[in-house]
Amino acid sequence: MSFEITEFQQRITKTKQRMEKEGIDVLLLTDPANMNYLSGYDGWSFYVHQLVMVFIDEEQPFWIGRGQDANGAKVTTWLDENHIIPYTDDYVQSTVKHPMDFVCNILKEMGQTHLTIGVEMDTYYFTAKCFTQLQKGLPGAKFKDATNLVNYVRIIKSNQEIEYMRNAARIVEKAMWEGVNSIQEGVRECDVVANIYHAQISGTEWFGGDYPAIVPLLPSGERTSTPHLTWTDEQYKAGDPVILELAGCYKRYHSPLARTVFIGEPDPKVKYLADVVVEGLNATLDAVKPGVTCEEVESVWRKTIAKSGFVKESRIGYAMGLNYPPDWGEHTASFRQGDKTILQPNMTFHLIPGIWLDHYGVEVSESLRVTETGCEVFADFPRQLIIKETNLLEGA
């Protein structure tokens, strides 16, 4: 396991405290990151229905999932065999029965049919069918939305979690250099991404990498005007800006990083936008410290770039760390107007104040930890528009 049992027990205790405050008797967790956080379960089985079930009066949670994945639970979790409950394969993608029917039957066997049950209503892996089958199978239960209940437990990291994120930062440094150095006029975008993937998974001499929750995002040319495009099999051209948004991942903990490259003599408009983004990013990093709110941090960015005439209405960062596809974000605090979350030590964020205009864009980001007095930036990588003709790349 990636953590001592005592750390899992502490997480369970904090989760139960939130459950008690919300009046929840049993919590059904289908978010793979929350399942991992409380049980240690780690497998690519989230394409079928699975969950971790936490009772307010039970020491261990229960893992419920597909039968062929039960041994995976035995291998990766701290749970004893009595708390690993598999369902048979005829539940998988069936048109006549559903895994939540199985969950209902388990609760009936336990005599727990009139409880207040918390469910993660707004997660990727809890479907409308899941909810309707639970309602149908447990008509005496009261259901309550418990979206992000565990996410907010996760928002403050342990020292061990921080070490894993530092390892992820060493991986993303390597992957970013590999991507930047591979980008050349005439090189195919897909070949650059292949090199990035190799660096992400091979990791370092001391530890290997895991698969990140998001694939490398590498738009080029006019495609840099939007943030979430991947890559093509086209060749890079002189005069292209290229955005690289990547993450290192270690034991499911992430350290994202974004940089922008320009192939050839930089377009003055792109260079100016990059200067604005970097200046704003530096000022914002200086503002991060315990006791300030997320919206106060965002306001520093907003005021810093105001003189440039650029405006960014979207958030400039978000809490992140442990996760699975399709997102490394934690879905809790964001650096944006209206978010009054107070920063505390060992909160971790991806600060990404990218600006995307009609025909081009620039991203420069950092992942960070809130410290006792300010912030720790996880990765060590030049914070600037990277121009391929400079000597910057030779020392990578």
Side-chain angles (χ1 to χ4, degrees):
M1 293 185 299
S2 300
F3 299 92
E4 297 292 334
I5 290 178
T6 53
E7 183 156 340
F8 285 114
Q9 291 171 332
Q10 290 167 2
R11 296 171 179 181
I12 291 289
T13 297
K14 292 176 182 177
T15 298
K16 289 180 178 179
Q17 290 170 350
R18 287 183 172 267
M19 290 170 62
E20 186 172 16
K21 183 178 179 180
E22 296 294 328
I24 293 172
D25 302 308
V26 60
L27 180 62
L28 305 183
L29 301 169
T30 56
D31 183 327
N34 291 336
M35 292 178 62
N36 178 304
Y37 187 72
L38 295 185
S39 75
Y41 182 71
D42 183 23
W44 192 283
S45 54
F46 39 80
Y47 67 95
V48 296
H49 294 293
Q50 57 183 16
L51 57 83
V52 161
M53 182 164 56
V54 182
F55 284 92
I56 196 73
D57 57 354
E58 185 82 25
E59 181 178 345
Q60 293 184 29
F62 290 86
W63 177 93
I64 299 177
R66 189 179 184 181
Q68 61 184 242
D69 295 316
N71 281 341
K74 294 175 184 178
V75 169
T76 61
T77 74
W78 63 283
L79 310 179
D80 63 40
E81 291 195 17
N82 292 329
H83 287 77
I84 296 173
I85 306 176
Y87 59 77
T88 54
D89 220 61
D90 55 341
Y91 280 93
V92 176
Q93 297 168 5
S94 169
T95 59
V96 296
K97 59 199 309 186
H98 192 275
M100 291 302 159
D101 300 336
F102 180 84
V103 173
C104 292
N105 290 334
I106 292 296
L107 289 170
K108 290 174 182 176
E109 290 173 7
M110 293 179 173
Q112 308 285 356
T113 57
H114 289 76
L115 304 175
T116 298
I117 300 176
V119 292
E120 298 178 302
M121 293 291 288
D122 194 20
T123 58
Y124 301 116
Y125 300 96
F126 186 74
T127 66
K129 184 71 170 180
C130 288
F131 190 49
T132 58
Q133 292 306 111
L134 287 172
Q135 289 180 308
K136 179 181 177 181
L138 298 169
K142 176 183 177 183
F143 291 94
K144 191 164 187 177
D145 186 0
T147 303
N148 288 345
L149 186 149
V150 175
N151 301 57
Y152 274 100
V153 177
R154 288 164 44 198
I155 197 170
I156 298 178
K157 310 299 185 293
S158 69
N159 291 335
Q160 185 64 72
E161 289 178 292
I162 295 299
E163 283 303 310
Y164 290 162
M165 296 181 76
R166 289 179 178 136
N167 286 354
R170 303 292 79 76
I171 294 171
V172 79
E173 290 166 356
K174 180 182 174 184
M176 185 63 77
W177 276 122
E178 189 63 44
V180 169
N181 287 333
S182 299
I183 293 172
Q184 299 286 350
E185 182 180 6
V187 174
R188 295 190 306 172
E189 295 179 8
C190 54
D191 293 327
V192 171
V193 174
N195 292 339
I196 291 170
Y197 264 121
H198 183 271
Q200 286 176 316
I201 305 307
S202 63
T204 73
E205 177 183 352
W206 301 276
F207 47 82
D210 207 340
Y211 60 91
I214 301 177
V215 302
L217 303 175
L218 259 80
S220 66
E222 190 170 3
R223 291 162 62 88
T224 61
S225 62
T226 185
H228 297 132
L229 301 183
T230 54
W231 62 88
T232 73
D233 60 359
E234 296 297 317
Q235 296 180 355
Y236 290 111
K237 304 184 298 295
D240 275 349
V242 184
I243 287 175
L244 302 90
E245 184 179 346
L246 321 170
C249 184
Y250 182 75
K251 294 186 183 294
R252 304 306 324 143
Y253 285 83
H254 292 77
S255 182
L257 185 67
R259 289 294 185 268
T260 302
V261 170
F262 201 92
I263 303 173
E265 184 65 26
D267 184 311
K269 295 183 295 184
V270 177
K271 178 66 166 62
Y272 178 62
L273 180 58
D275 290 343
V276 170
V277 169
V278 171
E279 179 186 7
L281 175 58
N282 289 336
T284 306
L285 286 168
D286 290 341
V288 174
K289 61 182 178 180
V292 303
T293 64
C294 285
E295 68 175 0
E296 288 172 333
V297 171
E298 193 274 346
S299 69
V300 172
W301 154 266
R302 188 176 292 265
K303 292 174 183 176
T304 302
I305 70 165
K307 60 182 180 292
S308 71
F310 293 121
V311 176
K312 177 181 171 63
E313 296 299 337
S314 58
R315 65 181 181 175
I316 64 166
Y318 46 84
M320 60 81 207
L322 165 69
N323 228 325
Y324 288 80
D327 187 15
W328 54 53
E330 289 179 337
H331 299 188
T332 51
S334 292
F335 292 135
R336 60 182 167 197
Q337 291 182 309
D339 192 323
K340 300 186 185 300
T341 303
I342 299 172
L343 300 190
Q344 300 179 58
N346 275 16
M347 287 184 174
T348 55
F349 291 86
H350 184 206
L351 179 58
I352 180 165
I355 295 179
W356 303 276
L357 304 178
D358 287 341
H359 301 291
Y360 61 94
V362 166
E363 288 184 32
V364 183
S365 81
E366 299 288 1
S367 291
L368 63 92
R369 172 180 77 96
V370 181
T371 67
E372 296 293 337
T373 57
C375 76
E376 169 192 353
V377 175
F378 282 127
D380 180 10
F381 204 92
R383 197 179 298 156
Q384 61 191 65
L385 179 66
I386 300 173
I387 303 167
K388 290 299 303 223
E389 284 73 13
T390 67
N391 293 324
L392 172 66
L393 308 180
E394 295 179 0

